[in-house]
Amino acid sequence: MHIHPEFHRFLNRQDKEQLLRQRGIVVWMCGLSGSGKSTIANAAERVLHKQGRFTTILDGDNLRTGLNANLGFSDNDRLENIRRFAEVAKIFVSQGIIPFVSAITPRGELRDLARGLLGEDMFEVYIKASYEACEQRDVKGLYAKAARGEIQHFTGKDGSFEPPQNPDLVLDTETTSIEDAAFELLEAIRERIAHAERI
């Protein structure tokens, strides 16, 4: 295999961030299906867009219809799913873009994999909601299918979910509205970027 990555001749990250007048950060949102990850990401992105920020959302369902369409939900496939998420987010953040990653990321080893690839660029947000609360919402009808045995390895039922031990932010959607959660997220992102710029 003859692979020769070219980076030294490319414009660097600082050039891109100066053009966009912003600092890139990966907002990695994990939590059960139906916890509110995509909804909060959408709300936060709209605010940043109005502020003139360049953002994108990498959503689990969307990527599984394209880039990750060949992956299932076995342990190995979940690992590869997250690896691809992280690699794509890494490309975006290196261009000064703010990607929101909306992915269940059910186990610590998966989040560790992402952090290993993204380093300090990763801002880990745990969207907290119990299985019961998400089952009641069941916005996609997945919990009903899981209850009927139509979905194998469903996270929280057949497949375990390990809550993050030390996330950068926890947003509990059982006690916090989407609007308040989005506001709290935006404030946390602003503080994180401000801190990084002071270093």
Side-chain angles (χ1 to χ4, degrees), residues 126-145:
Y126 174 32
I127 309 301
K128 182 180 178 183
S130 66
Y131 186 92
E132 292 73 25
C134 295
E135 187 175 30
Q136 286 180 356
R137 297 170 187 168
D138 204 10
V139 291
K140 302 172 187 174
L142 298 177
Y143 286 84
K145 287 183 178 181

Side-chain angles (χ1 to χ4, degrees), residues 5-6 25 36 45 80 94 101 103 106 114 127 134 185 197:
E6 292 245 350
I25 183 175
E45 184 189 41
E80 177 60 13
S94 72
V101 174
I127 309 301
C134 295
L185 175 59
E197 288 174 342

Side-chain angles (χ1 to χ4, degrees), residues 7 13 24-28 56 58 82-99 101 113-119 121-122:
F7 297 113
R13 177 171 175 171
I25 183 175
V26 179
V27 184
W28 195 287
T56 190
L58 299 175
I82 295 303
R83 188 192 71 80
R84 293 183 193 178
F85 259 105
E87 290 288 2
V88 173
K90 186 176 180 179
I91 293 170
F92 278 125
V93 79
S94 72
Q95 307 306 303
I97 298 168
I98 302 171
V101 174
L113 169 64
R115 192 172 291 281
L117 290 168
L118 296 168
D121 285 325
M122 180 171 164

Side-chain angles (χ1 to χ4, degrees), residues 15 18 26 51 122 177 187 196:
D15 295 322
Q18 285 179 351
V26 179
Q51 294 174 352
M122 180 171 164
S177 70
E187 281 297 297

Side-chain angles (χ1 to χ4, degrees), residues 24-42:
I25 183 175
V26 179
V27 184
W28 195 287
M29 305 171 73
C30 62
L32 291 173
S33 177
S35 59
K37 300 182 299 297
S38 296
T39 307
I40 295 170
N42 272 287

Side-chain angles (χ1 to χ4, degrees), residues 23 25 33 37 40 46 59 62 81-83 90 98 112 125-126 133 149 175 178 180-181 189 193 198:
R23 188 182 182 98
I25 183 175
S33 177
K37 300 182 299 297
I40 295 170
R46 288 178 184 280
D59 181 81
N62 290 354
N81 182 52
I82 295 303
R83 188 192 71 80
K90 186 176 180 179
I98 302 171
D112 289 344
V125 185
Y126 174 32
T175 60
I178 293 300
D180 287 346
I189 292 171
I193 290 175
R198 288 195 298 269

